[in-house]
Amino acid sequence: MTAPTAERATIELAQKGDKAAFELLLRAHYDVMYRIAFKWCGNQSDAEDITQNACIKLARSIDSFSFQSAFLTWLYTLVINTAKDWMKSHARHPSKELPDNHRAEQPTAENAIFANQTMAYIRDFPDKEKEALFLVFGEGLTHGAAAAVMDCKESTVSWYIHEARKKLQSFREVECRHG
Amino acid sequence: MDERQLKELMAGTESAPPRDAARERAISQAMNAFDAVQQEKQKKFQGSGLLGRLKDRLTDFKRRRSMTPRTLTQKYGFAGMATATAVLLAMVTYNTFDPYLGAEKSLPEPIVETPKAETKQAPAAEAQTPSIVFRGSPRKSEPKAKSDSSNISGLRRAGEDITAKTYQPPQAVVTTPRAAPPAMVAPSPAVRQRLSQRLEGKGAVKLPEATSGIRGLMGGSVVNPLLRDSVPNQYETSGRDQFENADQNPINLVAENPVSTFSVDVDTAAYSFMRRMLNRGVLPQKNAVRIEELINYFPYAYPKPATRERPFQSTVTVTPSPWKKGNKLIHIGIKGYDLHPVEKPRSNLVFLLDVSGSMNATDKLPLLVNSMKLLLDTLRDDDTVAIVVYAGAAGTVLEPTKVSEKHKILAALDQLRAGGSTAGAAGVRQAYALAERQFDKEAVNRVILATDGDFNIGITNREELKGFIERKRKTGIFLSVLGFGQGNLNDHLMQTLAQNGNGVAAHIDTLSEARKVLVEESSSTLFPIAKDVKIQVEFNPKSVAEYRLIGYETRALKREDFHNDKVDAGDIGAGHTVTAIYEITPVGGTNRLLEDSRYKSDESAAASNSPHSDEYAFLKIRYKLPKSEKSNSFTTAIIPADEGTGSSEVQWATAVAGFGQILKGGKYTGSFSYDDVLALAKTAKGEDEFGYRAEFLNLVRLARTASAMPRK
C-alpha cells in the first residue's frame, strides 16, 4: 500500500526536515487525530491534550514512517498509543461526565444522553476491544485494516468486536429495564 | 446493537469540536519538537557546540540572546535592516509571526551583531535592531526588494508577488483528494510566507523536485481569497490569554467625590505583554494595557529617602496636561529606600516551576531555566534555594540548598524537562511547605512561581488558592509570580496571586527582561521595604473642579479602606519607584466634562476663608514596615508652588501615560497621537542607562504602524 503521491511527497519532505511540509501534514491530520482522541477519552480538554502529545510524538517519529502501510493507519496507531499512555499516566478513568452540559439541555436530549452513557460504558472496555470498535465503527475501517493498525490478525479483530458487542447488548438490556 | 446503531453512536457522540487555540498550541508544540529533532540531526553532522554554549553564562549573554523569540523572528531573513526600517521589520513579523517561529533551528545559527558591540545593555541593543548574518555566509540574507518597499501594503504585496512567481499549477492535488482536505488548502499566512521564503532558494535546505506538489498547494493558497481574511484583526480581542476587564477610571466631580483612594502597584507584566504584541505588529487588547504598569516599568530618578525608617520619599509636580488644554496633571512620584548590598538580608527562596507540557517552547522552559541561573548569580552564598516543579504531579527537584553549592542547583535546573499537564495547586502547597521548613525570621522568605498559564488540575478554585496564599503571607512567606510565554497566559490569576502574596507579577518574554526583573531589580523584587502602601488624595473643591486618576483601575480602594489595616494593598521593594498621575480641571476651567450639581451646597464659599484654600489637594500615604502590622502614614499638601514644566522624569511618565491611554482607546486624550507621544518622550529620554526608554520609543513607532493597518 503506498501513500498518494502528494501526501507521500509531503511526508518525505518532512522526513528530510522541511518545516513547512511537516506543518502541512499536521494541519491536514489534526482533526482526524483529535477525533480519535476524543472518542477515546470523551471530553474536549483531555482530547486536546492527547492530540497535542500525539502531534509532538509525530514530530519525533515521522522519520520512522517507512511507507509500509498507509500513513493514516500509522497515524491511528500513534494516536491510540498516545491516548493509552496518557490515560495511564493520568491514572484516572476517562471522564464519565457528559462531555458538555448543553447536550443535556437539547430537546433530543434523551437519545444523546443514552449515547453518551453508552460511550462512557465503552470507554471502560479493555483497550483492545475499545480500539477495535473505534476503528471499525468510528473510522469505518475494515476488520483487515483495523488489524493492520492494531498489529494483530484480522480474526482477532473480529473476535474483539464480537466480545464488545456482547457486552453492549447486555448493557442495553439492563439500561432498558431500568429505563 | 447492530452495526448501523454502532456507527451512529460513534459518529454522533463527537459533541465538542477541537478548539482553534488548542489546535494551534498542539501544532506549535509539535513544530518545536520537530525543530528539536532536526537540530539533533544536524548536531550529529556538525558536532555543534550548542551544549557548551549553554554552559557559559553571563559572559555569553549576547549570543544566548539569539535564542530569545524576538531575535529569532528576525533571523527569518529580515536582517540587515537599518534602525530606520525597524517599523518594516515589525510588519514583516506581523505576517510571519507564529509561536514556533521562535524555535526554527534547521537554518544555521545566526550571529547577532549589535551596532554597539561594547554595550552590554541588552535592551538598548535590542531596540536598535541588530543586524544578523548567517555563519558561513557573507551576504546579508535580506533580499533587496523587500527592504526597498516603503510601506506596509507594498511590502505585503511584494511578498505575495514572490509567492505568486513560484506558483505552479496544482496538478498533484487533483489526483489526491485525501491529501488536500480544507485545512491543507488554506494554511496560515505564516506558513505561506515561510514557504515562499524557502522557495526563494536562499534557505539552507534545497528543495528536492518532489516539492512541486507542495509548492502547488501553497501557491494555490495564494489565490484563495479566504486567506486575506485570516490575517489577525487589528486588536487582539480574543485568545486564551485572560485579562481582567477594566475600563479607564472615570472623571469625578470634586464637589461630589473629593477623595480618591488606591493601592500602589509595582507590577510590570502589562508592559512586557504589550511589547510582545507590538513586536508582532498587533495592538494589545485594551484590557491588557494597565497604564500604571507601563509607567512603573521604568526606573525614575526621583529624590531618595534618607533613612530606612521613613522608607520612601514622595515628589509632587503639577504640570500642564499635554493632551487637554487648560487641564493639569498632578504627578506623584514615590521612591523607595534602596538597600546597600551589605544590608541585604539573607534569602530563603523556593522556586515553584511549571514544567507542564505547554512549557515546552523556546520562550518558556529554557528561558525560565536561564532566568533562574541569572538570578542565582545575584544571590549570596548563604542564601538557600529549593526547587519544586509541578506538572501532572508536583515534586521536589531540589531540597533547600545553600547557594555556595551552586553546582547542585545548576544540575537540578539543567535536568528540568517539560511534560504533562498542570497541577499548580499541589505544587504551591509543597513549595510553601519547603519555605516553612527553612523559615528564617531575619531572612526574606519567598516563593517564586514561574508559569505560563492556568492551573488546570487540582485546586482550580481561585478563591481557595488566594486564601491559601494570603494565610501564608501572614506567616511571613511572600510570593512572586513570573509569567512566561503567551497564548495560554492567565494574567488575571497571576496578578491576583502576586497581590495576595505581597509580591510582584512580571511577564518574562526575553532574557533581557529576565535580567531586568531578576538582576537589575532583584533587590526590589526580593526585599520589601514597605507593605500595604495606600495612597489617598483629597481634592480641594475650591481649586479643582474635576479629577481623574490615570491607570490603577484594578487597584482602586474604597475610601474607608485607607485607614483599615486589614485591607491588603501593594508593596514597595528596595529602590522601587511608583508613579501616579491625576488629570485635573481647575475651577473655572472652560473644558469641563461634568456639570456642577444644580443643588451644590455653598460650602465652598465658606472654605474660601480657610487657610488651605489655594491648595490643589492633600496627599496621604499609608504604609506598614515589612515586619509590622501597624500602619504609619505621612501627608503632603499639593500646592500651586509645585507647578512647573516638570523634570525629564515627570515628562517621561507623562508620555508613557499618554501612550497607555491611546492604546486603551484614547477616550480622554483627544487628538493626542503617537507622534505627540514620540515628541514628548524623545525630549525626556534622559540618560537611559539600560536602554529601556529607547525600546519604548520603538514600541510607540510599532504601535503607530500597527494602528495604521487597515481594519478588517
Side-chain angles (χ1 to χ4, degrees), chain A residues 6-7 16 35 38-39 41 51-52 62 72 81 92-93 102 107 119 121 134 150 170 173:
Chain A
E7 187 180 72
K16 285 186 186 117
R35 195 172 68 222
F38 191 94
K39 290 214 172 87
C41 64
T51 318
Q52 177 168 323
I62 181 85
L72 211 55
N81 284 336
R92 55 174 200 184
H93 284 286
H102 71 260
M119 281 305 281
Y121 180 65
F134 288 160
M150 294 173 64
S170 56
E173 278 160 16

Side-chain angles (χ1 to χ4, degrees), chain B residues 634-660:
Chain B
F634 65 87
T635 56
T636 325
I638 300 171
I639 50 174
D642 291 326
E643 270 188 69
T645 49
S647 63
S648 68
E649 304 301 289
V650 171
Q651 294 290 337
W652 181 264
T654 308
V656 180
F659 181 59

